[in-house]
Amino acid sequence: MQSSSARMRSTTLDRSLQKTKGDVNLTTFALLFSEMVQYSQNRVDNIQDLQNKLADFGKHVGVRILDLFFLRNGKDKREVRLTPMLIFIQKTFWKFLFNREADHLEQHAQEANVYYIIERECLVNKFISVPKDKGNLNYASFVAGIIEGILCTSGFTCKVHTHQAPRGTTHVITFAQSVMDRESRLDAK
Amino acid sequence: MSRTNVKQNLDARRVTQELFTLTYGAFVAQILNDYEHVDEVNKQLDKIGYNIGVRLIDDFLARNPNVGRCHDLRETADVLAKQGFKTYLGISPSITNWSPAGDEFSLLLDGNPLTEFVELPEGQGQKLSYNQMICGAIRGALEMVQLEVECRFVQDQLKGDNATELRVKFLKKLEDALPVGED
């Protein structure tokens, strides 16, 4: 027992993280996601809780996948400014995750700390039809969780939530005041 | 349709393996939190796999119209390993250790995408059958083509074994396709 656990510990950490990039069939992912939704749905009372649960899954993925991305792609540079970071997520990171870029990145007209990432067709919603009695439910909260995980571990404290808008799935990113203060300090320099 | 167009369509049908791996990890972690007993967690993972398998087989047959009825278990094993695993997990396990009666075989999994960054927790966690979803999926998928099988892991690299070995045992042919509940 002793020797087997020691051997296992070494194999997990010794294994190289540098691996050629592989893909997995979308069907496999979609069915797994569907099971996640059903599992969570059986354990919550309302839509908001369900979305929170999905977002928690996303956060778990987000904080881990960011480091992996930088390591695999041999990129040493990390964005410290708000706009380049958001563009990085919208273009580079989205491409890494879903094989395409997100359609739009926009800032709220009045509130400077609110940004939108908009997708016409969100991958996780592709095979999902929302029941009529759950009108506001959007399963892309999972993706919102990923975005929040990435931004928060990169030092951009924020809250992300998702809703369905006429132009597609919209992830609303609300940054904390501390982030905005830092931005204006950096601007002043 | 131009060549690039076709390629784009194919690309859009795939996601990064890491996204899949980490999503499954998040899911297992959540189930571990929800249940006190590891055996219960294994059961849940098996159930999840079963639900996936039941639906996966339709997708599989729709994509591979050239796959016909298998005449014996060897043929089934071949399709399962070379086409099923290849399509949905991107790996091709090797088929070995046939029982003398020819009703039981092993799949040796080489480089399982599910376990990429996984380490089992100490104590109770060592009993966790992390890949149990695969067993459930095989059971579910084969049940839909009227084959009842039993599926279990006999060796697991996560537990310090040298290989990950999945044992599939043929139980019986199902005569009537029973309607399946959502559960």
Side-chain angles (χ1 to χ4, degrees):
Chain A
M1 193 65 213
Q2 202 77 48
S3 72
S4 92
S5 73
R7 192 169 64 213
M8 192 189 67
R9 216 172 286 130
S10 64
T11 50
T12 313
L13 293 181
D14 284 347
R15 217 182 300 148
S16 170
L17 279 169
Q18 295 285 4
K19 226 190 77 185
T20 46
K21 187 171 169 276
D23 283 341
V24 156
N25 200 313
L26 178 58
T27 314
T28 325
F29 179 77
L31 286 172
L32 176 68
F33 187 70
S34 140
E35 286 304 312
M36 275 167 64
V37 171
Q38 288 176 49
Y39 178 90
S40 310
Q41 203 153 24
N42 289 335
R43 282 164 180 78
V44 294
D45 303 323
N46 58 51
I47 290 174
Q48 196 51 49
D49 282 354
L50 177 57
Q51 294 199 350
N52 289 345
K53 261 192 185 291
L54 290 176
D56 285 342
F57 284 131
K59 276 177 222 165
H60 181 108
V61 175
V63 297
R64 284 161 179 79
I65 210 162
L66 185 70
D67 278 339
L68 192 68
F69 171 83
F70 281 111
L71 191 95
R72 288 267 163 90
N73 292 283
K75 283 205 172 75
D76 301 331
K77 187 187 164 214
R78 302 224 180 177
E79 303 296 349
V80 292
R81 297 301 302 271
L82 193 65
T83 319
M85 183 67 194
L86 285 169
I87 293 174
F88 162 77
I89 291 180
Q90 183 217 351
K91 297 204 185 295
T92 322
F93 209 76
W94 225 260
K95 202 145 180 59
F96 170 67
L97 282 180
F98 306 119
N99 266 325
R100 60 161 175 238
E101 295 175 4
D103 297 314
H104 302 284
L105 170 67
E106 285 168 15
Q107 187 174 18
H108 192 283
Q110 276 94 42
E111 293 164 54
N113 66 332
V114 178
Y115 285 82
Y116 303 108
I117 289 180
I118 303 169
E119 275 188 292
R120 259 195 315 281
E121 193 188 38
C122 185
L123 190 93
V124 299
N125 282 345
K126 193 165 176 165
F127 303 110
I128 291 178
S129 50
V130 181
K132 278 207 174 66
D133 59 322
K134 297 199 173 70
N136 293 321
L137 180 57
N138 196 317
Y139 296 98
S141 324
F142 175 69
V143 182
I146 296 182
I147 302 176
E148 194 175 315
I150 294 170
L151 283 170
C152 286
T153 45
S154 312
F156 298 93
T157 316
C158 65
K159 281 263 160 249
V160 185
H161 69 270
T162 296
H163 65 86
Q164 197 64 39
R167 289 168 65 198
T169 305
T170 308
H171 307 289
V172 185
I173 309 171
T174 314
F175 287 100
Q177 194 50 47
S178 61
V179 176
M180 302 319 287
D181 292 346
R182 187 180 64 209
E183 277 297 304
S184 45
R185 248 193 343 269
L186 288 169
D187 277 335
K189 268 184 189 168
Chain B
M1 206 183 267
S2 73
R3 188 170 284 263
T4 48
N5 234 339
V6 173
K7 184 150 191 314
Q8 265 171 5
N9 280 345
L10 282 176
D11 279 350
R13 290 199 60 87
R14 307 192 72 80
V15 293
T16 306
Q17 187 190 299
E18 284 80 33
L19 177 67
F20 175 69
T21 308
L22 290 171
T23 306
Y24 184 65
F27 198 10
V28 177
Q30 179 64 46
I31 300 173
L32 269 172
N33 275 337
D34 288 349
Y35 287 90
E36 277 180 14
H37 223 278
V38 178
D39 296 338
E40 275 301 311
V41 178
N42 290 343
K43 240 183 249 169
Q44 280 294 326
L45 290 176
D46 192 79
K47 197 172 111 184
I48 287 158
Y50 176 81
N51 291 344
I52 291 179
V54 163
R55 297 170 69 187
L56 201 63
I57 187 76
D58 280 337
D59 185 82
F60 178 73
L61 293 175
R63 272 169 201 249
N64 299 287
N66 52 335
V67 172
R69 184 174 289 274
C70 295
H71 297 289
D72 57 17
L73 195 64
R74 281 178 191 272
E75 219 175 303
T76 312
D78 231 37
V79 174
L80 182 68
K82 301 215 172 92
Q83 291 180 272
F85 270 87
K86 184 98 195 106
T87 315
Y88 296 106
L89 284 177
I91 49 173
S92 317
S94 45
I95 309 163
T96 50
N97 292 346
W98 278 95
S99 66
D103 65 344
E104 200 176 351
F105 60 93
S106 284
L107 294 171
L108 285 178
L109 270 60
D110 183 30
N112 181 356
L114 284 181
T115 56
E116 190 75 19
F117 318 110
V118 177
E119 193 180 49
L120 293 182
E122 294 289 319
Q124 277 272 312
Q126 291 292 324
K127 284 200 284 180
L128 176 68
S129 180
Y130 191 86
N131 293 315
Q132 193 64 30
M133 183 178 82
I134 299 181
C135 291
I138 293 176
R139 195 165 55 85
L142 290 183
E143 192 177 306
M144 289 301 108
V145 287
Q146 271 101 55
L147 290 175
E148 192 177 330
V149 295
E150 187 191 273
C151 211
R152 64 181 201 284
F153 278 98
V154 285
Q155 286 193 76
D156 192 341
Q157 275 167 339
L158 283 179
K159 294 179 179 167
D161 297 325
N162 289 326
T164 300
E165 183 182 353
L166 178 71
R167 199 95 182 118
V168 182
K169 184 176 197 257
F170 170 77
L171 295 179
K172 64 167 190 266
K173 255 189 195 161
L174 299 166
E175 292 305 329
D176 292 311
L178 296 166
V180 189
E182 286 274 295
D183 195 40

